[in-house]
Amino acid sequence: MSNVKLFYEERTPSPLQQVWRQFRHNWWAMGALHVLGLVVILTLFAGWLSPHSPTEQYTDALSLPPAWDADGELRFILGTDELGRDMLSRILHGAQLSFGLPLLVVIAAALVGMPLGALAAMSRGVKSSTLKHLLDVLLSIPSLLLALIIIAILGPGLSNALLAIWLVLIPQFLHTTRNAIHAQRHQDYVIAAELNGVSQWYLLFVVIFPNTVKVLVVQVTMALSTAILDIAALGFLGLGAQSPAPEWGSMLAKSVEVAYSSPWVMALPGLALCITLISVNIVGDSLKSAIDERIKR
Amino acid sequence: MTELLRVSELSKDYLHKGRWWTPKRIRALKQVSFSLKSGETLAIIGETGSGKSSLARLIAGAESPTSGQIFLRDTELKPRDYSYRCRHIRMVFQDSEASLNPHLTIGRQLEEPLLFNTSLNASQRREAVAEALKKVGLLPEHAVFHCHMMSMGQKQRACIARAIMLNPDIIVADEALAALDSSIRAQIINLLLDLQRDMNMSYIFVSHSPEIIRHMADRILVLRDGEVIANAPTEEIFENNPDSYIQSLLQQTYTLG
């Protein structure tokens, strides 16, 4: 019976719990988080959720409007495109290409860029400044342009587009991580910890890292929205995902021809893209302000 | 009293951005030498920019000297050798808020020196932290607090607790009292004096306030433009000094710590 608590014990919530409490008070943030959660679920279970195959062409139902329209059919809730493919299935499968793949690319870029950035920040002298100046040159080129250059070398295609965006995002992660750690490196509390005789690993992971999380969270969400947008843009230009693939950007590009006769073919992928991007940005921004608030209180 | 710390010909240059490839060299300290006996309190005074903060940071190890050596009981203290130095010399920073990590609890920060310099297990460490907190007039419960939950005086006490964690011989305080209001400053001064009596520590502190210096210091080291111009017992400097620079330092009526 030793774990019976006789006295009232005040428990201090862990940093993560405090951030979550702050986050929960933000109505917008919770809304965006739910939308994002929905997008993630749709991405994961697109295969089970979609009623038809995304590439199956129903010749009896060409350019059918959504089901709520007088001409619509309940079989195709969001209508069909000019080749008779079910829009709902295409949008759901498109989430895998337009949201799932960028997410994986961002994670992969973060896994490479952040450790390198930390290494650059903790080393000093020529090694660190060479890296810094090299990166400044790379970062002065917009990400989409740089991705275009890489694709011009590798040739178009979804896998090449992903590779290009991965390569473009790595220096961004590297730079942000380096700057975030560098800004903390000479703060009094870091020097105080150093004077405590702590090891370099402890200094980096326990002392400095939690104080850079705010910057890194923003960077991850920024990178995610950049990646989503760039994949869509490359798809739109015909350099990323190729035609039958239900990628939202290439769907938009195809829909331009039929924009007047069947506007839903253009509106639906655009809307999906827009909602995903906005919710990603709101979640990232609210997370940053929630972390800020925790420190201030 | 035996000699505890000997500083010999310590110099410090700062490099400022000059024109193109030649950085401008600024000498903050010019071959400073002095020694400190155990249990003694040394006050470093001087005008702004005279190098007193640099000297404090060099002794504590927060910066590396350009040339010169620091000996602790005839053992040289190497720059960046924190594991030896931190068992003997600890520092209390000017800004207690900036010197506490906003993301770690006070307890975890006090634990750091024990974690890396002793072989105590988790419960022993917790006990040691609780004891240190009690010594500086805080409660063991403060160990679970984050820095932003505490008042300025409590933060300064937490910083002092961190400094005494490893039972050091010397505590270096760089204007540690400047940011506190007068009643809390009086409390902290008494706390420092009590700790000195109980633990037989030496203090090296940088201060602007003649009252505090007179109250606490055994010796005074006067710096001017990075050079030692006087190093004598407190009474001697207060009673008879012909130097107008020293007089102007000691006659300041404001008490800014």
Side-chain angles (χ1 to χ4, degrees):
Chain A
M1 294 293 277
S2 63
N3 53 1
V4 173
K5 287 179 182 127
L6 289 176
F7 302 101
Y8 169 72
E9 211 175 334
E10 196 178 355
R11 260 178 33 81
T12 327
S14 74
L16 215 62
Q17 283 173 328
Q18 287 177 27
V19 169
W20 173 238
R21 275 186 196 179
Q22 279 295 323
F23 192 86
R24 231 175 24 186
H25 286 302
N26 190 342
W27 188 86
W28 272 100
M30 284 313 283
L33 188 68
H34 282 117
V35 172
L36 202 62
L38 190 70
V39 173
V40 170
I41 290 170
L42 292 182
T43 307
L44 287 175
F45 301 109
W48 286 294
L49 289 172
S50 54
H52 304 278
S53 156
T55 46
E56 169 112 47
Q57 300 179 3
Y58 294 91
T59 42
D60 56 329
L62 297 179
S63 294
L64 221 58
W68 55 83
D69 193 274
D71 301 330
E73 268 183 52
L74 206 56
R75 198 153 53 110
F76 306 107
I77 294 174
L78 293 180
T80 58
D81 63 6
E82 72 280 9
L83 295 175
R85 293 175 294 197
D86 179 38
M87 283 306 288
L88 178 64
S89 309
R90 284 180 70 74
I91 296 281
L92 288 178
H93 278 275
Q96 288 183 331
L97 299 178
S98 294
F99 176 76
L101 288 180
L103 191 65
L104 292 181
V105 166
V106 166
I107 291 170
L111 285 180
V112 176
M114 284 182 182
L116 284 177
L119 200 70
M122 298 302 275
S123 65
R124 52 189 100 202
V126 181
K127 206 176 10 168
S128 135
S129 81
T130 314
L131 209 57
K132 180 182 186 305
H133 292 297
L134 203 73
L135 285 175
D136 285 344
V137 175
L138 267 181
L139 285 172
S140 61
I141 308 169
S143 66
L144 186 60
L145 209 58
L146 205 58
L148 278 179
I149 296 171
I150 297 173
I151 286 176
I153 299 166
L154 297 173
L158 185 59
S159 55
N160 285 352
L162 290 174
L163 185 67
I165 288 165
W166 180 65
L167 287 175
V168 168
L169 286 179
I170 286 174
Q172 286 187 14
F173 273 106
L174 211 166
H175 196 76
T176 322
T177 313
R178 197 203 88 94
N179 282 358
I181 292 178
H182 202 75
Q184 304 293 324
R185 189 70 182 77
H186 298 286
Q187 299 274 338
D188 271 355
Y189 74 89
V190 178
I191 294 174
E194 232 176 350
L195 291 180
N196 282 343
V198 302
S199 67
Q200 289 280 305
W201 285 106
Y202 185 92
L203 194 69
L204 181 62
F205 285 108
V206 183
V207 179
I208 299 178
F209 187 70
N211 293 291
T212 59
V213 163
K214 187 181 80 186
V215 184
L216 297 183
V217 161
V218 176
Q219 170 60 25
V220 166
T221 49
M222 289 274 287
L224 186 56
S225 59
T226 310
I228 293 173
L229 215 55
D230 283 1
I231 295 254
L234 289 173
F236 188 82
L237 294 174
L239 300 171
Q242 296 302 314
S243 190
E247 200 272 326
W248 293 343
S250 58
M251 281 165 77
L252 272 177
K254 287 282 154 214
S255 72
V256 172
E257 299 155 17
V258 293
Y260 288 110
S261 56
S262 45
W264 59 91
V265 179
M266 178 181 259
L268 289 171
L271 208 61
L273 206 55
C274 177
I275 290 171
T276 311
L277 280 173
I278 288 177
S279 56
V280 166
N281 282 335
I282 290 179
V283 167
D285 211 52
S286 322
L287 212 53
K288 176 189 156 231
S289 49
I291 296 172
D292 259 348
E293 278 299 310
R294 189 187 82 72
I295 304 287
K296 261 188 237 149
R297 265 186 321 135
Chain B
M1 289 199 281
T2 51
E3 186 185 80
L4 179 66
L5 182 84
R6 183 156 57 83
V7 170
S8 116
E9 314 230 305
L10 205 62
S11 296
K12 175 73 186 172
D13 294 351
Y14 288 103
L15 295 179
H16 282 252
K17 213 168 235 172
R19 251 188 294 156
W20 296 107
W21 299 103
T22 49
K24 224 162 65 184
R25 219 165 246 280
I26 290 173
R27 287 231 116 162
L29 285 178
K30 294 167 194 160
Q31 306 204 316
V32 171
S33 304
F34 68 92
S35 64
L36 181 75
K37 296 195 183 88
S38 83
E40 197 178 37
T41 302
L42 178 78
I44 302 173
I45 61 170
E47 59 183 4
T48 311
S50 59
K52 51 192 189 321
S53 255
S54 304
L55 182 57
R57 292 173 77 87
L58 285 177
I59 294 168
E63 284 171 35
S64 324
T66 310
S67 66
Q69 286 124 17
I70 304 172
F71 296 95
L72 186 95
R73 294 200 193 89
D74 295 322
T75 319
E76 192 187 341
L77 293 176
K78 300 251 172 19
R80 309 219 149 267
D81 178 14
Y82 300 117
S83 61
Y84 178 73
R85 194 189 287 254
C86 73
R87 264 171 277 166
H88 303 281
I89 303 182
R90 304 284 284 151
M91 182 162 178
V92 178
F93 289 80
Q94 178 173 9
D95 186 352
S96 55
E97 189 163 19
S99 71
L100 290 171
N101 191 333
H103 278 270
L104 291 182
T105 59
I106 298 297
R108 294 223 26 209
Q109 294 184 60
L110 296 187
E111 224 179 358
E112 268 173 24
L114 300 174
L115 198 62
F116 284 91
N117 299 294
T118 61
S119 51
L120 300 179
N121 62 31
S123 67
Q124 285 171 320
R125 285 202 300 268
R126 215 172 305 128
E127 247 167 62
V129 167
E131 201 164 306
L133 284 171
K134 272 189 242 165
K135 264 188 202 163
V136 297
L138 293 173
L139 297 168
E141 285 78 28
H142 281 107
V144 296
F145 277 38
H146 280 93
C147 143
H148 63 268
M149 302 169 169
M150 300 167 91
S151 69
M152 274 313 276
Q154 287 175 321
K155 281 177 204 164
Q156 195 58 275
R157 283 171 192 266
C159 288
I160 293 170
R162 175 169 60 185
I164 63 170
M165 261 346 271
L166 293 168
N167 297 323
D169 301 310
I170 301 171
I171 287 187
V172 179
D174 181 7
E175 297 188 46
L177 306 165
L180 305 173
D181 68 60
S182 52
S183 68
I184 295 178
R185 195 186 307 154
Q187 289 176 15
I188 301 286
I189 290 172
N190 288 339
L191 169 67
L192 288 172
L193 290 174
D194 287 346
L195 287 174
Q196 182 170 39
R197 196 189 53 220
D198 295 344
M199 303 173 73
N200 191 30
M201 290 183 293
S202 298
Y203 286 136
I204 297 176
F205 72 97
V206 175
S207 181
H208 284 298
S209 157
E211 291 95 336
I212 293 177
I213 292 166
R214 195 156 201 178
H215 187 58
M216 290 184 72
D218 299 316
R219 286 182 82 83
I220 297 181
L221 187 80
V222 187
L223 283 178
R224 182 179 199 173
D225 297 331
E227 281 173 289
V228 179
I229 58 167
N231 178 7
T234 310
E235 293 78 35
E236 209 172 292
I237 289 210
F238 270 93
E239 298 310 326
N240 49 7
N241 61 83
D243 195 308
S244 63
Y245 174 74
I246 300 174
Q247 269 176 3
S248 75
L249 283 176
L250 295 179
Q251 276 165 9
Q252 285 162 347
T253 46
Y254 59 86
T255 51
L256 275 173

